[in-house]
């Protein structure tokens, strides 16, 4: 499960598709293939962008054509509520332009990403960025106009124009916000206030990324590190405990010196959310934030409740960590070092594609046949080459073509796992594109990481059944456990903090840096079992909240936990499922945004309003720990 940056959900579909699916993976150390030129790599390992456009000339021609259609979009302004026929015509026209635009943009992005050094590629990408902004501006009138159509009139529209049916979900998703929409002059004032709404986050970003005087420390090997956020995350996993203590105390000490400023910024962000909650008539900041994706607040509360109920499972892991690290007392600075030295698990590309097909065979023949298409029809750009963008992503926005995957495959198990992850996105896009009209093809953000993470879990399950070497097993199992801690527990810990500070502010309590630290420390100590003697949490680490930029993303992080939970539950169900489950899963992959996220998951048997998915995830986590303990006992460790 990799962090994805938040984006506004009501953005045009093409932006959702592009931004969403990037996966930050770090590049592995040198391997012979790394510096091979792009030309020397066989075609079958490179994506074929000619499936989008045969040449740059053809691309340019199409771009001019699409550009010429913007004017016609604008000509519908003021007419959407006029008649069913007119509304249908406008929606068809607009979405077709958007679809063609997405194809143009993906061509420019892929070409630029395969060699970022070519300035013509970069120029094409930048042109598309500007064109996207113009498209967004041109079409900005559509949502408010649709929102303004009275309910009765819309119902009549659906009756007189049956073709409009394919836009029902799109229209409903706009119209359901009526209760929180104000009169026109009021909306103008709210829009004006938008000028100030990003300020807290901007100041936070400047202070933490640029102005704060971060300390430089000397590690035990003589190396000097500047402990900014990057330096901290790069050195906190050191195997030398003295270094970890030094890193933690110096970094958090530096943040603590600015706790009043950090506190004032975060309070400003919370007050902004209260402003919008009040003027838009929501009961709470949480309700407003979740309403964007039509997620009931009970899903959020249930997550926190379940995590708290299952803290003994986290504590079991922490005790296991203590045993494996061989320390007398486990401290917060002992969280990051690997439990076992990472073992070499080499997998060639051709082996990886075969292994993934076997691991995902439980998803059915049609799924595996589509994997074959992805591997054999040049959907994937497999290997690094000089100038290529780093990391990995899946890009599913070329509706009429096929998804693409960028990889920097380096022959390790982690690379294979990343490939399985990206294939999860790609299959989700492929089946949704194939089965939904364009307007409903891109899946909602709440579901974005479910199919991808489920694939990782299935690959893990398959690999563990196959690999017999105990050290290799320990390494895989240990990394898996860390996923549970950092994705499920830690993100919920953040979500609980976020909820608590908003609730206090809603009651009118003052929030300062010291107050934030007090609240954060209380939650941190509870999660890590400080009072039960599981982990020692020094008071200084209560300032950790100042290090987390996500508190400026408006109740975003809980989705890391919910999608991880959903994917673990889903993987469990697929492993034990059979043909009925395969059918349901393909329906899930094919559903795009034809329904809201929670009912969509419910149809595949994962009901996020109940405890079941969470309990399945905990069962899995406990099984992983059983296995580790079993291996350790056998080794006499
Ligand atoms: Zn992903």
């Amino acid at each position: 499960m990799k962090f994805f940056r938040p984006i506004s959900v009501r953005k045009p579909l093409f932006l959702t598709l592009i931004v969403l699916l990037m996966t930050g993976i770090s590049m592995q150390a040198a391997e012979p293939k790394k510096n091979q030129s792009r030309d020397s790599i066989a075609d079958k390992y490179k994506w074929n962008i000619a499936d989008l456009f045969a040449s740059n000339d053809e691309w340019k021609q199409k771009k001019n054509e699409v550009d010429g259609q913007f004017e016609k979009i604008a000509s519908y302004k003021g007419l959407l509520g006029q008649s069913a026929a007119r509304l249908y015509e406008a929606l068809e026209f607009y979405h077709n332009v958007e679809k063609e635009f997405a194809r143009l943009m993906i061509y420019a992005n892929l070409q630029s990403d395969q060699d970022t050094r070519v300035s013509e590629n970069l120029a094409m990408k930048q042109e598309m960025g500007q064109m996207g902004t113009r498209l967004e501006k041109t079409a900005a009138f559509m949502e408010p106009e649709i929102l303004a159509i009275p309910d009765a009139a819309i119902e009549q529209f659906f009756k007189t124009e049956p073709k409009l049916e394919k836009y029902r979900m799109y229209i409903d998703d706009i119209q359901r916000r009526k209760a929180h929409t104000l009169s026109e002059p009021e909306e103008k004032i709210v829009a004006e206030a938008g000028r100030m709404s990003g300020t807290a986050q901007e100041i936070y970003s400047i202070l933490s990324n640029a102005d704060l005087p971060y300390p430089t420390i000397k590690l035990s090997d003589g190396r000097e590190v500047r402990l900014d956020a990057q330096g901290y995350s790069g050195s906190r996993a050191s195997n030398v405990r003295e270094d970890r203590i030094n890193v933690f105390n110096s970094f958090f000490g530096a943040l603590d010196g600015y706790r009043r400023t950090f506190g004032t910024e975060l309070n400003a962000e919370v007050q902004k959310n209260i402003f919008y909650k009040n003027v838009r008539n929501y009961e709470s900041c949480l309700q407003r934030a979740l309403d964007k994706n039509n997620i009931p607040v009970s899903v959020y509360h249930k997550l926190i409740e379940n995590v708290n109920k299952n803290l003994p499972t986290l504590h079991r892991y922490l005790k296991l960590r203590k045993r494996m690290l061989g320390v007398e007392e486990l401290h917060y600075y002992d969280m990051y070092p690997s439990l076992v030295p990472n073992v070499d698990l080499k997998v060639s590309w051709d082996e990886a594609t075969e292994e993934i097909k076997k691991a995902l065979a439980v998803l059915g023949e049609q799924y595996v046949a589509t994997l074959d298409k992805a591997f054999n029809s040049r959907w994937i750009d497999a290997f690094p080459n000089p100038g290529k963008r780093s990391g990995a992503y899946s890009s599913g926005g070329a509706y009429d073509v096929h998804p693409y995957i960028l990889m920097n495959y380096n022959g390790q198990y982690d690379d294979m796992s990343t490939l399985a992850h990206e294939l999860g996105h790609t299959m989700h896009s492929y089946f949704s594109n194939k089965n939904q009209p364009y307007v409903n093809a891109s899946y909602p953000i709440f579901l974005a990481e479910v199919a991808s993470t489920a694939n990782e879990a299935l690959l893990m399950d398959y690999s563990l059944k196959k690999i017999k070497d105990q050290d290799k097993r320990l390494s895989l199992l240990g990394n898996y456990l860390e996923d549970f801690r950092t994705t499920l527990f830690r993100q919920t810990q953040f979500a609980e903090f976020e909820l608590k500070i908003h609730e206090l502010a809603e009651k009118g309590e003052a929030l300062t840096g010291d107050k934030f630290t007090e609240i954060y420390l209380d939650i941190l100590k509870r999660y890590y079992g400080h009072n039960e003697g599981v982990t020692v949490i020094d008071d200084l680490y209560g300032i950790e909240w100042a290090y987390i930029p996500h508190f400026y993303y408006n109740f975003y992080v809980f989705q890391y936990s919910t999608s991880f939970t959903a994917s673990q539950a889903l993987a469990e169900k697929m492993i034990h499922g059979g043909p009925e489950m395969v059918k349901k899963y393909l329906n899930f992959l094919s559903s795009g945004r034809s329904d809201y996220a929670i009912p969509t998951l419910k149809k595949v048997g994962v009901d996020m309003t109940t405890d079941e998915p969470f309990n399945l995830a905990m069962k899995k986590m406990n099984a992983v720990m059983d296995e580790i303990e079993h291996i350790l006992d056998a080794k006499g460790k």
Side-chain angles (χ1 to χ4, degrees):
M1 170 81 188
K2 325 303 200 266
F3 274 43
F4 42 93
R5 293 202 45 102
I7 49 145
S8 141
V9 167
R10 296 293 328 163
K11 285 257 181 203
L13 304 177
F14 59 85
L15 290 177
T16 322
L17 281 160
I18 308 293
V19 185
L20 195 70
L21 309 175
M22 314 249 173
T23 299
I25 56 154
S26 54
M27 305 262 293
Q28 303 281 335
E31 123 134 25
K33 270 182 183 156
K34 197 171 181 181
N35 283 319
Q36 63 186 344
S37 73
R38 192 163 177 85
D39 288 342
S40 70
I41 300 173
D43 278 348
K44 66 170 181 168
Y45 298 118
K46 291 185 284 192
W47 57 27
N48 185 12
I49 60 169
D51 289 345
L52 293 160
F53 295 100
S55 65
N56 284 5
D57 283 341
E58 198 189 289
W59 177 84
K60 268 179 204 139
Q61 212 182 331
K62 183 73 184 178
K63 178 174 163 275
N64 290 336
E65 191 189 304
V66 171
D67 212 341
Q69 292 169 329
F70 282 22
E71 236 172 279
K72 190 170 172 191
I73 297 174
S75 76
Y76 287 106
K77 193 168 181 189
L79 306 179
L80 300 189
Q82 234 179 27
S83 70
R86 190 49 69 86
L87 180 60
Y88 175 72
E89 189 191 312
L91 290 177
E92 278 287 286
F93 190 80
Y94 168 71
H95 283 100
N96 194 48
V97 172
E98 195 193 274
K99 176 172 73 100
E100 296 306 322
F101 172 82
R103 184 168 173 162
L104 287 163
M105 184 158 89
I106 285 165
Y107 180 86
N109 284 350
L110 299 185
Q111 184 148 259
S112 174
D113 290 347
Q114 72 190 29
D115 194 344
T116 55
R117 301 166 306 179
V118 182
S119 55
E120 193 197 348
N121 294 349
L122 193 63
M124 284 165 67
K125 192 173 166 174
Q126 282 165 350
E127 270 174 57
M128 293 316 293
Q130 288 157 6
M131 195 170 158
T133 310
R134 269 195 298 119
L135 178 57
E136 207 177 335
K137 274 194 183 150
T138 309
F141 70 92
M142 297 183 76
E143 286 194 15
E145 273 193 37
I146 292 169
L147 191 64
I149 305 172
D151 293 350
I154 280 284
E155 269 323 300
Q156 195 50 48
F157 280 10
F158 281 119
K159 278 183 198 133
T160 46
E161 180 52 88
K163 280 190 287 184
L164 202 54
E165 196 55 41
K166 81 175 190 200
Y167 290 105
R168 187 180 277 280
M169 180 65 192
Y170 172 82
I171 291 170
D172 181 69
D173 201 20
I174 296 171
Q175 286 234 324
R176 71 183 175 79
R177 282 174 287 156
K178 261 189 184 148
H180 304 285
T181 304
L182 311 173
S183 69
E184 218 180 300
E186 286 171 325
E187 281 293 342
K188 271 198 182 131
I189 299 173
V190 177
E192 280 296 313
R195 292 172 193 273
M196 297 167 282
S197 68
T199 313
Q201 184 182 12
E202 281 158 26
I203 300 174
Y204 170 78
S205 170
I206 296 286
L207 175 63
S208 57
N209 294 319
D211 280 355
L212 200 134
Y214 288 104
T216 297
I217 61 162
K218 203 175 207 169
L219 299 175
S220 52
D221 61 1
R223 224 163 21 101
E224 290 200 342
V225 220
R226 181 172 183 262
L227 287 179
D228 52 14
Q230 226 180 350
Y232 161 71
S233 66
S235 29
R236 66 187 176 187
S238 166
N239 286 322
V240 182
R241 205 176 195 201
E242 286 312 309
D243 283 344
R244 299 203 294 270
I245 297 174
N246 198 356
V247 165
F248 264 67
N249 291 350
S250 307
F251 179 67
F252 288 118
L255 293 185
D256 193 50
Y258 286 78
R259 68 181 180 279
R260 284 167 292 265
T261 309
F262 278 123
T264 309
E265 289 159 4
L266 187 53
N267 180 50
E269 179 71 11
V270 173
Q271 297 304 328
K272 174 195 85 180
N273 291 336
I274 289 191
F275 167 81
Y276 284 112
K277 155 196 128 34
N278 286 342
V279 298
R280 295 224 171 270
N281 304 312
Y282 283 101
E283 282 166 30
S284 63
C285 294
L286 177 69
Q287 192 201 23
R288 169 180 165 253
L290 268 52
D291 190 46
K292 264 188 295 187
N293 297 322
N294 208 17
I295 308 290
V297 290
S298 63
V299 170
Y300 198 97
H301 289 299
K302 189 154 272 310
L303 174 72
I304 292 177
E305 183 194 310
N306 272 323
V307 161
N308 275 281
K309 239 194 285 177
N310 285 278
L311 286 178
T313 307
L314 175 63
H315 296 172
R316 180 182 173 197
Y317 166 50
L318 294 169
K319 287 174 196 157
L320 192 56
R321 171 166 273 278
K322 182 175 146 187
R323 174 178 172 191
M324 291 175 83
L325 288 178
V327 293
E328 192 97 330
E329 212 174 44
L330 189 73
H331 283 256
Y332 197 44
Y333 47 74
D334 294 322
M335 287 309 134
Y336 295 97
S338 285
L339 290 174
V340 279
N342 266 320
V343 291
D344 219 17
L345 271 168
K346 284 209 176 1
V347 200
S348 73
W349 176 268
D350 292 337
E351 284 162 0
T353 55
E354 285 309 306
E355 290 291 276
I356 287 172
K357 271 165 38 182
K358 285 180 200 157
L360 302 183
V362 289
L363 303 180
E365 276 168 30
Q366 205 187 343
Y367 193 98
V368 176
T370 315
L371 287 175
D372 266 326
K373 252 195 230 177
F375 295 141
N376 301 326
S377 312
R378 300 182 57 195
W379 295 8
I380 309 174
D381 211 65
F383 297 112
N385 58 254
K388 185 170 162 179
R389 185 196 164 114
S390 64
Y393 66 72
S394 163
S395 174
Y399 179 79
D400 298 314
V401 190
H402 56 72
Y404 285 88
I405 292 177
L406 178 137
M407 287 289 299
N408 276 284
Y409 196 84
N410 245 318
Q412 296 288 325
Y413 180 90
D414 276 356
D415 296 319
M416 175 167 70
S417 184
T418 301
L419 178 59
H421 178 105
E422 301 307 339
L423 284 164
H425 290 307
T426 277
M427 294 297 129
H428 202 168
S429 297
Y430 173 81
F431 285 107
S432 285
N433 286 346
K434 208 172 134 192
N435 292 289
Q436 296 296 330
Y438 175 75
V439 64
N440 288 339
S442 73
Y443 40 86
I445 194 152
F446 189 85
L447 303 179
E449 293 298 333
V450 174
S452 54
T453 323
N455 275 7
E456 281 184 68
L458 290 171
L459 178 64
M460 177 68 78
D461 191 79
Y462 167 83
S463 303
L464 286 170
K465 280 179 188 143
K466 206 181 145 183
I467 296 172
K468 297 281 174 264
D469 181 278
Q470 300 297 49
D471 286 334
K472 287 179 180 170
R473 294 175 66 78
L474 270 184
S475 170
L476 287 183
L477 290 162
N479 290 342
Y480 197 13
L481 275 184
E482 261 303 275
D483 284 348
F484 277 94
R485 179 183 77 84
T486 55
T487 313
L488 219 173
F489 287 98
R490 185 168 158 86
Q491 301 302 325
T492 306
Q493 173 202 321
F494 294 161
E496 187 169 346
F497 173 75
E498 216 177 340
L499 179 61
K500 177 90 184 171
I501 60 177
H502 282 88
E503 282 177 349
L504 287 177
E506 284 163 11
K507 280 188 228 151
E509 267 196 53
L511 295 174
T512 61
D514 286 327
K515 185 74 190 171
F516 287 128
T517 296
E518 183 194 314
I519 299 164
Y520 192 89
L521 192 61
D522 180 59
I523 296 173
L524 189 64
K525 283 184 170 173
R526 176 153 42 83
Y527 273 60
Y528 283 83
H530 175 83
N531 290 336
E532 292 95 330
V534 180
T535 317
V536 180
I537 304 285
D538 298 316
D539 284 0
L540 175 63
Y541 307 149
I543 188 68
E544 194 181 32
W545 58 268
Y547 159 67
I548 312 295
H550 300 75
F551 295 140
Y552 294 84
Y553 297 172
N554 195 17
F555 294 96
Y556 188 84
V557 291
F558 84 104
Q559 297 175 111
Y560 297 127
S561 309
T562 46
S563 52
F564 187 80
T565 306
S567 65
Q568 297 307 313
L570 207 46
E572 276 300 289
K573 281 174 189 276
M574 293 309 303
I575 289 163
H576 307 290
E580 197 47 40
M581 194 60 208
V582 167
K583 211 168 119 194
K584 276 191 197 168
Y585 191 66
L586 281 185
N587 282 337
F588 167 75
L589 293 180
S590 305
S591 58
R593 59 174 63 227
S594 58
D595 200 348
Y596 295 110
I598 299 295
T600 299
L601 270 177
K602 200 171 171 175
K603 283 175 224 162
V604 68
V606 178
D607 186 349
M608 297 303 284
T609 62
T610 68
D611 298 333
E612 200 221 359
F614 196 89
N615 290 340
L616 279 173
M618 285 301 99
K619 197 176 137 200
K620 185 90 215 174
M621 186 175 175
N622 275 305
V624 171
M625 291 191 281
D626 290 343
E627 180 68 28
I628 292 184
E629 280 171 358
H630 183 73
I631 298 174
L632 290 178
D633 289 345
K635 285 177 148 238
K637 279 200 176 169

